[in-house]
RNA sequence: CGGGGCGUAGCGCAGUCCGGUUAGCGCACCUGUUUUGGGAACAGGGGGCCGCAGGUUCGAAUCCUGCCGCCCCGACCA
């Protein structure tokens, strides 16, 4: 393990990449824009999945799986939707390889051309709605509440590990309802699920809001979002939930017979979060010593480091603490590697973001105590061996709360208001973060502001205060402030 | 797709301008000894299609031509 990593101040991008690689979360792969998620990173993702999946099921959803490939023709059925994704699709054109007659390995067999090309799904609305057509006949078939855990591919021009990769893992919920009201309520409910998960588990405060028409999902009537603020003052869209209206029902002709024996198109939603959340997790909490993982998502809660090395008495104390932790459901590893010195281990586990380190040293043990070090603050305390497990339990809770509070404080400090364009620009340039400002409600103004400042409207907060004002760019009247920021 | 950078051991790099012994350094790895309370020291050892393909030359990591790939910054997007 290399000594030290680039500081956030020196280069935020380098810092981020080094955390990802050196903490063992992921690596660049041989394929452009695609990453290998390594065991340690995948373990954290699995914890996220487990929690989210549990909540989806508690809210009545079931999991299913749809094909990776989508016939090209499906994508042309919903005009806006195609337009949104057309530029970034991977296309399968052939189904066979053959030996190169010139002896240069294998080539695509030109005779194995597909009659209709297949698109590697960038999202599954089309294949799913094509299927729902057969599943939905009556109001009794509704609501249909399905989620799938899958990989999708979007041929992005520029990629960054976890934040934007050509292939990424996600879940996508696709639901069908009898009424508009029910579908909107579903979209809102799932946004709440995401927000609760982000705040309670990831310790990442988010702002719930609605996207402007310009930022809306291709094919949606309304897009809800949770927006988080990263340590460099840029916003990260961390989850979205869409009210799709009847667009896909009409495009794929999905009708049901209502109780009055009349045919109606169904109302739809879709919602998703992805491995991008990993990027949010990293950029919300980590520091210049490495990764910091909130206890509720940590692959490993605590690690025991024998000082200076394992031995009968230290082993005994370690076993005792491990047994007590096990009972409390706290995961712990006893690092018995005698070839590495304590200092090395301290640095290594800090890099990996293990929330609590238990140092068991000969000297301390004579006094019957061990040392607890918390990753978030670096603070060290001494506790009696018998009290260690309950102290650690408390510490994990404290760390979880502290991480959330710290992130919330950062966001509060980096949320400003601007009433004129110069101030607006200055805040974005000097301080970053969210800026609340009035906007005249037009796409043109939104685009112009983006052009001038690189900031976009992250959302119109759901609980937004109504307030008369003037658009910072055009001076036209506005009835509420919207949330601007530069974004990932 | 525009701008920049890079491809040499698992990782990080030097060597390339100006061709010439056996391609080198740090970390990691293996063996041994002494160590061990914040990234140990010494000794010995293993590991290379120098991105790929052509060319120039007595001789190419180095020069020429072509190709491929990756990263960073921007425009596009979760």
């Amino acid at each position: 393990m290399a000594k030290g990593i680039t500081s956030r101040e020196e280069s935020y991008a380098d810092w981020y990449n080094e955390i990802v690689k050196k903490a063992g979360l992921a690596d660049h792969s041989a394929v452009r824009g695609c990453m290998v998620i390594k065991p340690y990173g995948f373990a954290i993702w699995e914890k996220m999945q487990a929690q989210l999946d549990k909540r989806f099921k508690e809210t009545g959803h079931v999991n299913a799986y749809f094909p990776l490939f989508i016939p090209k023709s499906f994508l042309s059925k919903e005009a806006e939707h195609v337009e949104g994704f057309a530029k970034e699709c991977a296309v399968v054109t052939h189904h066979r390889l053959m030996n190169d007659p010139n002896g240069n390995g294998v080539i695509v067999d030109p005779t194995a051309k597909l009659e209709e090309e297949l698109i590697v799904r960038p999202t599954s609305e089309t294949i799913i709605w094509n299927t729902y057509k057969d599943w939905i006949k009556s109001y009794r078939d509704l609501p249909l509440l399905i989620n799938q855990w899958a990989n999708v591919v979007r041929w992005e021009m520029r990629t960054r590990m976890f934040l934007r990769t050509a292939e990424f893992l996600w879940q996508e919920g696709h639901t069908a309802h009898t009424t508009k009201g029910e579908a909107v309520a579903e979209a809102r409910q799932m946004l709440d699920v995401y927000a609760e998960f982000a705040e309670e588990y990831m310790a990442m405060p988010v702002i719930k809001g609605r996207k402007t028409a310009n930022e809306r999902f291709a094919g949606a009537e309304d897009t809800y979002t949770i927006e988080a603020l990263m340590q460099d003052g840029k916003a990260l869209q961390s989850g979205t939930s869409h009210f799709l209206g009847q667009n896909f029902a009409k495009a794929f002709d999905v009708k049901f017979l209502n109780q009055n024996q009349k045919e109606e198109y169904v109302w739809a939603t879709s919602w998703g979060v992805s491995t991008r959340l990993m990027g949010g997790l990293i950029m919300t909490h980590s520091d210049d010593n490495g990764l910091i993982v909130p206890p509720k998502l940590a692959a490993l809660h605590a690690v025991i480091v024998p000082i200076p090395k394992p031995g009968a008495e230290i082993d005994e104390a370690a076993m005792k603490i491990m047994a007590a932790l096990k009972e409390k459901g706290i995961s712990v590893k006893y690092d018995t590697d005698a070839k590495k010195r304590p200092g090395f281990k301290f640095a290594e586990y800090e890099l990996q973001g293990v929330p609590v380190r238990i140092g068991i040293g000969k000297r301390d043990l004579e006094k019957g105590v061990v040392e607890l070090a918390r990753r978030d603050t670096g603070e060290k305390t001494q506790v009696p061996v018998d009290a260690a497990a309950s102290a650690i339990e408390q510490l994990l809770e404290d760390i979880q709360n502290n991480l959330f509070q710290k992130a919330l404080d950062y966001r509060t400090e980096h949320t400003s208001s601007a009433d004129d364009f110069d101030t607006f620009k200055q805040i974005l340039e000097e301080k970053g973060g969210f800026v609340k400002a009035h906007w005249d409600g037009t796409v043109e103004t939104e685009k112009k502001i983006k052009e001038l400042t690189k900031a976009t409207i992250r959302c119109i907060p759901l609980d937004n205060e109504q307030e008369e004002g003037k658009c910072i760019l055009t001076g036209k009247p506005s009835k509420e402030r919207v949330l601007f920021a530069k974004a990932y």
Side-chain angles (χ1 to χ4, degrees), chain A residues 136-334:
Chain A
I136 298 169
K137 296 293 169 202
S138 143
Y139 70 92
R140 291 192 178 92
D141 298 324
L142 298 170
L144 186 57
L145 306 172
I146 290 180
N147 174 64
Q148 91 165 338
W149 288 96
N151 58 338
V152 289
V153 168
R154 296 183 190 174
W155 214 262
E156 301 288 353
M157 288 180 175
R158 185 153 123 60
T159 59
R160 309 191 66 187
M161 285 194 289
F162 289 118
L163 296 173
R164 177 167 297 106
T165 43
E167 177 192 16
F168 57 94
L169 306 185
W170 77 345
Q171 58 67 218
E172 47 182 326
H174 296 273
T175 68
H177 307 264
T178 52
T179 65
K180 176 178 179 179
E182 196 184 299
V184 171
E186 164 76 5
R188 291 287 296 269
Q189 171 186 248
M190 298 324 285
L191 188 76
D192 289 344
V193 166
Y194 289 155
E196 273 174 45
F197 169 76
E199 300 199 333
E200 281 180 26
Y201 283 79
M202 296 175 67
M204 181 175 79
V206 294
I207 290 173
K208 291 188 275 189
R210 179 184 273 116
K211 285 291 188 188
T212 61
N214 188 43
E215 296 271 328
R216 204 178 276 156
F217 174 74
E221 296 212 341
D222 221 340
T223 287
Y224 300 98
T225 176
I226 51 171
E227 298 284 329
L229 192 62
M230 303 294 104
Q231 291 182 58
D232 62 346
K234 284 165 89 174
L236 183 75
Q237 179 173 323
S238 306
T240 50
S241 183
H242 315 290
F243 166 59
L244 301 173
Q246 292 176 311
N247 292 342
F248 285 92
K250 285 176 181 165
F252 288 89
D253 196 33
V254 185
K255 290 184 237 177
F256 70 99
L257 216 50
N258 69 19
Q259 293 179 69
N260 303 320
Q261 303 188 46
K262 275 192 177 162
E263 267 197 334
E264 283 186 60
Y265 285 112
V266 302
W267 298 85
T269 80
S270 70
W271 29 274
V273 293
S274 71
T275 35
R276 171 179 255 202
L277 287 177
M278 293 285 294
L281 189 76
I282 297 161
M283 290 198 294
T284 300
H285 305 301
S286 302
D287 63 19
D288 291 348
N289 291 324
L291 186 67
I292 294 179
V293 191
K296 286 187 183 178
L297 293 176
L300 182 66
H301 292 124
V303 61
I304 298 174
V305 177
I307 303 166
K309 60 178 176 183
E313 291 147 48
I314 291 174
D315 291 352
E316 195 193 336
M319 294 306 157
K320 215 168 172 180
I321 293 170
M322 283 197 288
L325 287 175
K326 203 169 201 176
E327 247 170 64
K328 293 178 184 291
I330 296 168
S331 61
V332 58
K333 170 182 158 186
Y334 181 29

Side-chain angles (χ1 to χ4, degrees), chain A residues 307 346 357-360 364 369-373 380-383:
Chain A
I307 303 166
F346 293 169
R357 184 183 72 233
I358 307 153
I360 306 184
D364 292 341
V369 299
V370 295
E371 180 184 82
L372 303 185
K380 294 174 188 171
T381 51
Q382 294 199 325
V383 295

